[in-house]
């Protein structure tokens, strides 16, 4: 309830109004792909699998921050490391789904992050937000 009649404590466009300021902290870019649009093939010259991802559902600014230290687990008698990241996208990013793949680029502060495949495992929702926040996992090799 507002302290004054006909007023709101938080204006209806509060998030959208502040979204531009939050976007100013996004120093990287990323593409997000829906894996159901991928096609695979085989390259005889390199004797390796090929992957065509299809068109990205998002290709714009982002901010990527590690959430936790590397966690290791054993898979098929081999240790595999994983790291979780918070990724902030522009306020008006399209609807996303768990399992989609995010590929960073234009990461001038940490270029070794470029090309990593981060898998979306949580889409964070809220009534007030300045960015679209998602959590992703990177399987380290």
């Amino acid at each position: 309830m507002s302290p004054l009649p006909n007023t709101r404590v938080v204006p209806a466009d509060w998030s959208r109004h502040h979204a531009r300021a939050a976007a100013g902290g996004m120093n990287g870019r990323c593409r997000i792909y829906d894996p159901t649009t991928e096609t695979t093939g085989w390259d005889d010259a390199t004797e390796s699998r090929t992957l065509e991802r299809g068109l990205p559902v998002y290709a714009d600014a982002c901010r990527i921050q590690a959430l936790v230290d590397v966690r290791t687990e054993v898979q098929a008698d081999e240790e595999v490391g994983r790291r979780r990241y918070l990724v902030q996208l522009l306020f008006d990013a399209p609807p996303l789904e768990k399992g989609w793949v995010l590929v960073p680029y234009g990461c001038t502060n940490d270029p070794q992050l470029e090309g990593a495949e981060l898998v979306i495992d949580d889409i964070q929702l809220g009534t007030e937000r300045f960015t679209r926040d998602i959590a992703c996992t990177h399987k380290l090799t």
Side-chain angles (χ1 to χ4, degrees):
M1 178 158 207
S2 179
L4 301 172
N6 301 320
T7 65
R8 295 176 56 114
V9 173
V10 178
D13 64 346
W14 181 261
S15 288
R16 185 171 295 283
H17 176 77
H18 288 83
R20 283 194 348 216
M26 296 180 183
N27 292 330
R29 299 182 67 76
C30 66
R31 293 181 185 95
I32 299 176
Y33 299 95
D34 174 353
T36 64
T37 65
E38 293 176 353
T39 57
T40 58
W42 184 258
D43 184 336
D44 288 329
T46 62
E47 295 185 351
S48 60
R49 181 178 161 259
T50 61
L51 173 68
E52 289 291 327
R53 294 198 183 272
L55 294 175
V57 295
Y58 179 88
D60 215 325
C62 68
R63 178 180 172 277
I64 303 172
Q65 171 186 334
L67 288 176
V68 295
D69 293 336
V70 173
R71 305 282 192 230
T72 58
E73 56 189 49
V74 178
Q75 290 183 347
D77 295 328
E78 189 175 316
E79 280 194 359
V80 176
R82 297 181 189 279
R83 172 172 277 140
R84 290 200 67 207
Y85 289 92
L86 167 67
V87 180
Q88 294 180 310
L89 307 173
L90 295 175
F91 174 85
D92 56 357
L96 305 169
E97 294 188 24
K98 291 179 183 179
W100 288 7
V101 178
L102 182 146
V103 180
Y105 68 99
C107 305
T108 57
N109 292 324
D110 276 324
Q112 64 270 29
L113 188 59
E114 294 194 22
E117 292 186 3
L118 310 178
V119 177
I120 298 173
D121 53 29
D122 185 35
I123 299 146
Q124 300 176 2
L125 305 175
T127 59
E128 289 301 330
R129 61 178 182 81
F130 305 150
T131 59
R132 167 56 63 214
D133 294 353
I134 58 177
C136 298
T137 299
H138 180 213
K139 180 178 172 183
L140 305 170
T141 55

